Amino acid sequence: MGWNLEALEKRLTGKVIGQPLYYYPEIGSTNDEAFRLGVAGAPEGTAVIADSQTKGRGRLQRVWHSPPGSNIYTSILLRPNFSPDLAPRISIAAGVAVAEILSTYCPGLVELKWPNDVLLNRKKVCGILAQMKASASDIDFVVLGMGINVNINDKQLPPDIRTIATSLAIETGQEIDRQELIISLYENIAKWYKELIQRGFDAIKEKWLNLSPMIGKKVQVMFRDEGVSGKALGLDDDGSLIILSLNGETVKVFAGDATIVKER
Ligand code: BTN
């Protein structure tokens, strides 16, 4: 099912996120475009959607597989009025918002993996890439990029990620309407963003912890060549993961890939 831009714009009229909306059948990366728009002064709520990306990027310099006709690739521009070191709260909130929406399609099967991978049946279904332009004390803007595997099938997934990635269609056996999904997604991100701005991080953190099977388990976090192992204790107020390391020290981890270590 393709995008119906006119209908989409109509449905997003008056909403916090999705106005203005920029749509591209093909683009390098929606994050780059949203960043460019941010620098040019575009307002909060600006959204970029592409049907495909030729330079889709993931965290830690990875490639985000972005073929046409099946998935969601979108970036939204936010201009929060808080200190840059609290910016990771936004991507944590986005993870919660995505997980909540995907749970409506697959109840009970959606989980979050720190920092903000969304898993379906233990496989990755969505990745979030946040980028920021800020001074030492103020955020100018944050670009929140989300890639959701919606209708891609098993054979279209690159072989190297087939065992660790999935899509909504693979797990439900049904084709999903991307347009309806993105409308409810934008609405839910707006809801959690408002919660963050008006009331702070507590409710987001609680929801995140409920959706994260990692807490209380032994984990390993790898960042480039370095690893930290220990018990995941929780999520700190700046979005970092708190780990009780093997030598008994409490450490905070700000970036990397966390996996649960299987106990034998
Ligand atoms: C990750 O899990 O590593 C993050 C993946 C983020 C992918 C999305 S797709 C839309 C936006 N544009 C990009 O180039 N990346 C993000």
Side-chain angles (χ1 to χ4, degrees):
M1 232 180 292
W3 295 100
N4 178 343
L5 202 55
E6 212 178 305
L8 186 57
E9 278 177 334
K10 224 185 206 163
R11 294 276 299 278
L12 293 173
T13 305
K15 306 275 180 182
V16 176
I17 292 171
Q19 266 195 318
L21 179 69
Y22 295 86
Y23 170 79
Y24 298 88
E26 185 182 280
I27 199 170
S29 156
T30 56
N31 262 38
D32 291 348
E33 179 62 6
F35 203 94
R36 196 189 61 73
L37 288 162
V39 170
E44 174 158 281
T46 298
V48 180
I49 299 176
D51 188 52
S52 68
Q53 299 183 116
T54 53
K55 292 197 178 79
R57 276 184 288 114
R59 289 187 313 117
L60 312 175
Q61 267 81 49
R62 293 184 186 128
V63 168
W64 187 258
H65 183 60
S66 311
S70 53
N71 298 328
I72 286 179
Y73 316 110
T74 186
S75 300
I76 61 186
L77 187 73
L78 299 171
R79 296 186 180 275
N81 204 351
F82 49 70
S83 143
D85 37 293
L86 296 182
R89 289 180 170 191
I90 296 178
S91 32
I92 297 281
V96 163
V98 174
E100 197 172 52
I101 289 302
L102 299 190
S103 293
T104 63
Y105 296 84
C106 300
L109 300 177
V110 178
E111 289 171 344
L112 286 168
K113 182 160 103 66
W114 186 86
N116 40 40
D117 285 353
V118 185
L119 309 183
L120 182 51
N121 265 337
R122 306 276 150 88
K123 292 177 168 186
K124 184 155 167 173
V125 68
C126 166
I128 298 174
L129 178 67
Q131 292 178 273
M132 166 170 74
K133 184 168 177 295
S135 67
S137 56
D138 296 297
I139 296 176
D140 182 359
F141 61 79
V142 171
V143 167
L144 199 53
M146 287 159 289
I148 307 178
N149 292 337
V150 182
N151 289 318
I152 193 165
N153 66 36
D154 245 332
K155 289 188 202 81
Q156 293 166 319
L157 284 172
D160 57 321
I161 60 168
R162 231 169 257 171
T163 53
I164 52 165
T166 192
S167 74
L168 279 173
I170 292 173
E171 301 301 327
T172 60
Q174 274 166 8
E175 193 182 356
I176 308 289
D177 187 333
R178 281 186 286 177
Q179 196 134 320
E180 288 303 322
L181 174 51
I182 212 165
I183 291 166
S184 38
L185 178 67
Y186 284 173
E187 190 125 359
N188 212 36
I189 291 173
K191 180 187 95 178
W192 285 103
Y193 182 57
K194 188 172 164 204
E195 168 73 29
L196 180 62
I197 300 296
Q198 294 186 346
R199 281 183 283 274
F201 196 46
D202 291 353
I204 294 160
K205 189 163 134 178
E206 193 188 326
K207 178 92 181 166
W208 190 92
L209 291 171
N210 279 335
L211 285 163
S212 181
M214 192 163 265
I215 303 306
K217 305 243 168 69
K218 191 168 173 218
V219 297
Q220 184 180 44
V221 186
M222 290 300 297
F223 182 63
R224 303 207 172 105
D225 295 338
E226 287 196 41
V228 185
S229 296
K231 185 173 167 186
L233 295 182
L235 188 68
D236 210 349
D237 281 346
D238 54 10
S240 59
L241 185 68
I242 309 170
I243 293 181
L244 179 63
S245 74
L246 297 180
N247 59 14
E249 253 180 294
T250 305
V251 289
K252 283 174 48 154
V253 186
F254 291 91
D257 283 308
T259 41
I260 295 177
V261 180
K262 289 209 175 74
E263 312 265 7
R264 274 180 276 180

